[in-house]
Amino acid sequence: MNPFKFGTIVQGEFFTDRIEELEHVKQLLDSENHLVLISPRRFGKSSLIAKALQQTGRPSITIDFMKVLSTEDLAAQILNSIFRLYKMEKLKHLLTHFRIAPNISYNAMTESWDISFMPLMEKASVALEDSMGLLEKVTTDENRLIIVFDEFQEVNEISSSLAKQLRAIIQRQEGLNYVFMGSQESMMNEIFEKKRSPFYHFGQRMNLKKIPYADFLSYIVSRLPDMTPEEKQKIAEGILKFTNVHPYYSQQLAAATYNMIMYGQNKGDAVSRAIKQQVEEHDLDYERLWISFKRTDRKILTLLARKSNPLTDRSLPTSTAFSSIKRMVKQGYVIKTNTYELEDPFFGEWILQGRSDAPSY
Ligand SMILES: Nc1ncnc2c1ncn2[C@@H]1O[C@H](COP(=O)(O)OP(=O)(O)OP(=O)(O)O)[C@@H](O)[C@H]1O
Ligand SMILES: [Mg+2]
C-alpha cells in the first residue's frame, strides 16, 4: 500500500502536524463563536475540520455548498442531515410545526430517509427558516451541534438573497457552532470582509497556511521505503522543493515517487522521473487549459513557472500584470502565500518544458 494519500480528506496516520491549528479550532468550537476558515484549494481545510470534529466527539452536519442547487434544496439537505443524526421518533412531532410540509420517504436501499421540497419560489425562505430552526431544537447544552458549511463561497451563486437570509437566521440562534469554509480567497473575502455583505466580520477568521516545512519533511522521510537516511532526506527535500510544500501536491508527488522507487524500471533520480511521469499524464489537460488563457495570462504563468515576480518584470505594465494575477487568483490558478505562485507545480513544469507556445516569451 502506498503510504501517501491525496485527493480525499486525510485522517489518522495520513494526517500530519496542524497541532496549533487543531487546538485553535477546538477552542473556538468550545466557545459560542463561529469559525470562518479560508485557504487556497487543497490546503487541508476539510481534513483539519474533520479531525477537530472527531476529537470533540460532538454531533455535526456538513453541507457542501457546491452541491446545493437552490434555497429549498439547502433546506432539504439540512433536514436530511438531521435525520441521519437523530431518530425519527425524536423528530416526528417537531416536523408537524413546519409551515411547508416536506416530502419524506423511506429509501429501503440506503436504509435512510429521503427528504425534499417541491420548488417553492418565494416561499423557499420559509422552508429554510423551518429547517434551520430544527437545528436549534435538536441541539443540547451538553452536546452542542456543529454545522459546517463547506465551499461557502458558492452562497451567492445559489441565490442572491441567500446570504442575507442565512445571516438573519443564524444571528438569532443559540447553542450551535457554525463553521464556514471556503477556498476562493477573494470571494470569501467579499462575503466576510465587505462592509455591505450580510456576513461582514461574522465569526472568527482563520487563514490556513501550508504545513511547516520541517514537519512535512520528516513525515515524508518516515514513509519512504528502505534506503539510507541520506537518500531519504534527499528525496524528501527534492519533493518539497518542487511542490513548494503545497499539502496536496506534495502528497501526490510523494506517492508517485514511492511508486517509482518500488515498481519503476529505470534506476536514477526517482523524484525527477515521478515529476516527468505526472506531467506527461496530464499533458492533454494542460494543453487545453493553456489554450484557454489570454496572452497576458500566459506570460504571467510563464514568469511564475520560472519563479520570477511578474509585478517587477519590465516587459509588462504593472497594472496589466496585477489585474491578470488578481483574476487568476480568483480562478484558483495562482495562489498568494508570501509571494504569488502557481497553484499546480506540475502545470508549471509543463509550461517550462516548452509545450505549446510557452517558450516564445
Ligand atoms: N494535515 C495534513 N497532513 C498531510 N496531508 C494533508 C494534510 N492536510 C491536507 N493534506 C493533503 O492535502 C489534500 C487536500 O486536503 P483537504 O481535502 O482536506 O483540503 P481542502 O482545503 O479541504 O481542499 P478543497 O479546497 O478541495 O476543499 C489531502 O488529500 C492530503 O493529500
Ligand atoms: Mg475541502
Side-chain angles (χ1 to χ4, degrees), residues 9 41-47 64 150-151 181-183:
I9 289 178
R41 289 213 74 88
R42 301 164 175 174
F43 261 38
K45 297 176 294 296
S46 298
S47 301
D64 181 350
D150 204 352
E151 308 287 1
M181 271 197 269
S183 45

Side-chain angles (χ1 to χ4, degrees), residues 64-177:
D64 181 350
F65 272 56
M66 206 75 105
K67 295 185 186 141
V68 173
L69 304 172
S70 59
T71 302
E72 50 266 49
D73 185 38
L74 176 60
Q77 288 201 31
I78 291 169
L79 279 184
N80 274 299
S81 307
I82 298 175
F83 271 66
R84 257 176 259 133
L85 267 187
Y86 302 94
K87 293 219 162 57
M88 185 56 160
E89 300 314 307
K90 178 170 173 161
L91 301 171
K92 229 175 1 196
H93 75 280
L94 293 172
L95 283 178
T96 56
H97 300 294
F98 270 53
R99 287 166 287 175
I100 298 167
N103 306 318
I104 303 179
S105 57
Y106 187 72
N107 186 332
M109 297 285 277
T110 58
E111 295 185 2
S112 63
W113 297 93
D114 280 340
I115 302 162
S116 61
F117 286 99
M118 305 287 278
L120 296 169
M121 313 300 281
E122 70 275 10
K123 284 199 198 121
S125 58
V126 175
L128 184 66
E129 256 175 47
D130 286 352
S131 292
M132 297 275 288
L134 195 57
L135 295 168
E136 229 181 340
K137 292 195 174 114
V138 292
T139 189
T140 59
D141 285 346
E142 312 75 58
N143 232 351
R144 281 183 305 128
L145 182 59
I146 300 167
I147 298 114
V148 181
F149 285 162
D150 204 352
E151 308 287 1
F152 191 68
Q153 76 277 348
E154 294 291 312
V155 68
N156 294 329
E157 297 289 318
I158 298 165
S159 144
S160 55
S161 56
L162 182 56
K164 210 168 144 202
Q165 287 167 36
L166 285 174
R167 161 77 208 239
I169 297 169
I170 295 171
Q171 71 176 357
R172 283 196 310 263
Q173 291 185 317
E174 279 172 19
L176 300 166
N177 288 114

Side-chain angles (χ1 to χ4, degrees), residues 270-319:
V271 180
S272 304
R273 281 186 289 134
I275 293 170
K276 188 161 174 278
Q277 178 218 32
Q278 294 295 305
V279 172
E280 276 167 11
E281 236 167 63
H282 292 101
D283 184 38
L284 211 61
D285 302 328
Y286 291 150
E287 182 92 45
R288 260 190 227 121
L289 186 59
W290 183 253
I291 290 167
S292 74
F293 286 112
K294 292 184 189 147
R295 258 167 211 273
T296 315
D297 295 349
R298 290 185 196 174
K299 186 160 190 174
I300 302 278
L301 291 169
T302 308
L303 288 166
L304 289 172
R306 290 186 188 135
K307 307 258 187 307
S308 53
N309 182 353
L311 293 177
T312 55
D313 188 82
R314 298 250 173 121
S315 62
L316 272 176
T318 314
S319 61

Side-chain angles (χ1 to χ4, degrees), residues 4-10 13-18 39-49 150-151 181-183 208 211 216 219 246-252:
F4 300 101
K5 198 173 164 187
F6 60 97
T8 50
I9 289 178
V10 284
E13 49 163 341
F14 295 102
F15 185 94
T16 184
D17 195 68
R18 299 285 195 222
S39 82
R41 289 213 74 88
R42 301 164 175 174
F43 261 38
K45 297 176 294 296
S46 298
S47 301
L48 175 69
I49 293 301
D150 204 352
E151 308 287 1
M181 271 197 269
S183 45
L208 192 64
I211 295 164
F216 220 151
Y219 170 82
H246 189 296
Y248 171 91
Y249 292 110
S250 302
Q251 291 252 30
Q252 181 185 348

